[in-house]
Amino acid sequence: MSNKKISASLAVLLFSGSLLTVSAMAVPRLVNTPVAAQNKPVLQDMARLASTGSKAPVLKVEAPAPVSTVNSDLQLMTEEELQQVYDYADRQVNSDPRVSGREMTDAEVKRRQVLEDQYVYEGVRPKQPLPLEPGKAELYLDMEQNTYTYPERQMTDEELLQLIDWYQRINYVMSKRHVKAVPGPEELSQKEAVALAASSVGKLFDVDVAKLETNVGYDEAGLNKRRTWTIQFSPYKSLTLMGQGKEFWQYNVIIDGPTGIVVDTTASNFSLKRTPISASAASLIQKDASWIHEATQIVIEKQGETRKITKAFLTDTATNNKRGMVAVKLLLEDGSSYTAEMRYPDQSLRCLIYEPANMAK
């Protein structure tokens, strides 16, 4: 399982408002505990330990969580409205929507993010639906050409809400077609997966996820086409925080469904500025043993790994230098490995990736 494949999967978590509302027609412009259990009772024991151990985060949300009324409102869509979305999606199944003329400005994107949280959590709705043919307004979607046209001026809140409402309708309608995958009888349940994910975030980042929003997805074609749990912990109304330029942390965990092995735990902060690593700095890093020492300490002390580390070295340096990251790969005695990706120059952990020796490629 390569870092690139994992990063591609995480992109869905990092840049969507929710794991459960990702659409192929998005707005033009998301516990590293190696438990290769063979039966469910063992997995249940692990989840119980993860949720009740003294160092594990408490999963109970003590403060009232915002409640979305989106689905209950969209259930009122007429059969004609539902069929309109189905017809549009069927025509554009292999084509992303285009934008005619200008792109959305940064200011509009930020306003849209705040408005989307208001749409989801506060019941704010547009006064009129998005026009779906030319000639009706300055902002419209030409459904036949699959093309959006934005006004030359800055869009109003009403127009941005019309866009948000249309994409929410697409997500809702297409979700009715999607057959939800369910884990097999020998695989982790959702509750167990969330407990393991929370435990991993707590171990690696010293974070209690109790009051964070939890979004969970189960994908039958996840990493390496294996079934995977994807769990995201983020602040409620994180789009508002993003739109207002406020700093916050978000945690994403990927768990292999068939084995119950947590393969990736990542911490993201969109406010952090990355510092590309120059050739001279990269040369110094190659000679600096502190990077490998820090990665080793993370795996042994935070992760709690007891197997012998047989080799440790920097990996994917050409790519990571551009990203401002230093990745250290640590090989274990049984052929398994960890990759600890750390930010430059402070050596803070961004993600820990685990690759079992026996996991099918």
Side-chain angles (χ1 to χ4, degrees):
M1 186 179 303
S2 70
N3 294 1
K4 292 181 179 178
K5 291 180 180 178
I6 289 176
S7 297
S9 178
L10 282 175
V12 176
L13 308 183
L14 300 177
F15 295 102
S16 65
S18 166
L19 282 173
L20 308 180
T21 57
V22 177
S23 168
M25 291 167 281
V27 177
R29 25 189 193 262
L30 254 191
V31 250
N32 280 342
T33 304
V35 185
Q38 299 302 315
N39 53 63
K40 193 167 183 179
V42 175
L43 295 176
Q44 290 172 331
D45 289 342
M46 283 300 304
R48 189 157 47 248
L49 287 171
S51 61
T52 60
S54 60
K55 293 184 179 180
V58 178
L59 298 184
K60 181 181 178 181
V61 177
E62 298 175 0
V67 177
S68 170
T69 60
V70 172
N71 282 350
S72 59
D73 287 351
L74 292 179
Q75 287 172 1
L76 301 177
M77 290 178 65
T78 66
E79 287 298 323
E80 182 180 359
E81 290 173 325
L82 292 171
Q83 192 59 50
Q84 184 181 49
V85 175
Y86 283 135
D87 291 343
Y88 170 69
D90 288 341
R91 288 197 303 270
Q92 316 302 340
V93 65
N94 294 317
S95 176
D96 291 330
R98 299 178 296 275
V99 175
S100 174
R102 73 174 183 87
E103 297 288 340
M104 196 176 292
T105 66
D106 288 343
E108 286 171 322
V109 169
K110 291 177 180 178
R111 287 171 49 222
R112 182 189 178 278
Q113 290 169 331
V114 175
L115 286 168
E116 185 162 346
D117 270 348
Q118 293 177 355
Y119 182 99
V120 171
Y121 293 114
E122 299 174 22
V124 176
R125 300 289 184 266
K127 296 177 182 178
Q128 300 293 331
L130 176 72
L132 301 177
E133 57 182 290
K136 299 293 186 179
E138 293 179 82
L139 167 71
Y140 62 88
L141 166 64
D142 185 334
M143 296 185 71
E144 295 297 326
Q145 300 299 320
N146 193 24
T147 301
Y148 290 89
T149 295
Y150 298 156
E152 290 304 316
R153 54 172 171 76
Q154 286 282 303
M155 280 186 269
T156 64
D157 286 358
E158 165 68 14
E159 290 168 331
L160 291 172
L161 283 167
Q162 289 176 7
L163 286 172
I164 292 167
D165 181 68
W166 172 246
Y167 287 111
Q168 290 285 349
R169 289 170 180 266
I170 291 176
N171 286 334
Y172 171 75
V173 174
M174 298 313 297
S175 71
K176 297 171 70 67
R177 275 188 177 178
H178 177 66
V179 179
K180 186 177 180 180
V182 295
E186 301 301 319
E187 298 181 25
L188 285 175
S189 68
Q190 176 170 320
K191 182 178 179 180
E192 293 164 340
V194 170
L196 287 174
S199 178
S200 183
V201 172
K203 285 193 306 181
L204 294 176
F205 300 106
D206 299 318
V207 170
D208 184 345
V209 300
K211 294 184 180 180
L212 297 180
E213 181 177 22
T214 303
N215 284 308
V216 183
Y218 185 77
D219 189 356
E220 287 190 306
L223 299 176
N224 294 324
K225 298 184 178 179
R226 294 175 64 88
R227 297 187 299 278
T228 57
W229 286 104
T230 52
I231 298 98
Q232 180 190 75
F233 303 107
S234 60
Y236 287 94
K237 300 186 179 180
S238 57
L239 285 177
T240 297
L241 298 177
M242 191 178 299
Q244 294 174 344
K246 295 182 179 178
E247 182 176 357
F248 67 92
W249 286 89
Q250 172 173 291
Y251 304 91
N252 302 282
V253 182
I254 299 177
I255 303 175
D256 183 69
T259 62
I261 295 172
V262 182
V263 295
D264 189 303
T265 303
T266 296
S268 303
N269 183 330
F270 302 109
S271 297
L272 295 182
K273 302 299 182 183
R274 294 188 180 185
T275 305
I277 302 172
S278 65
S280 58
S283 178
L284 292 175
I285 290 172
Q286 289 285 347
K287 303 171 186 177
D288 184 356
S290 69
W291 290 94
I292 289 179
H293 174 76
E294 181 64 23
T296 302
Q297 294 300 103
I298 289 169
V299 169
I300 295 175
E301 295 185 2
K302 286 186 173 289
Q303 176 63 15
E305 182 57 62
T306 58
R307 287 168 291 181
K308 182 180 179 180
I309 298 173
T310 59
K311 188 177 182 181
F313 54 91
L314 303 188
T315 184
D316 292 332
T317 53
T319 299
N320 287 326
N321 287 345
K322 298 175 183 177
R323 299 173 58 235
M325 299 289 169
V326 177
V328 177
K329 188 161 188 174
L330 303 99
L331 302 181
L332 305 182
E333 57 187 344
D334 67 350
S336 301
S337 68
Y338 288 97
T339 298
E341 184 177 287
M342 296 170 285
R343 297 178 178 85
Y344 173 81
D346 65 359
Q347 297 187 338
S348 61
L349 180 67
R350 177 182 177 271
C351 66
L352 185 64
I353 298 166
Y354 177 72
E355 185 170 358
N358 60 349
M359 184 173 285
K361 303 294 183 183

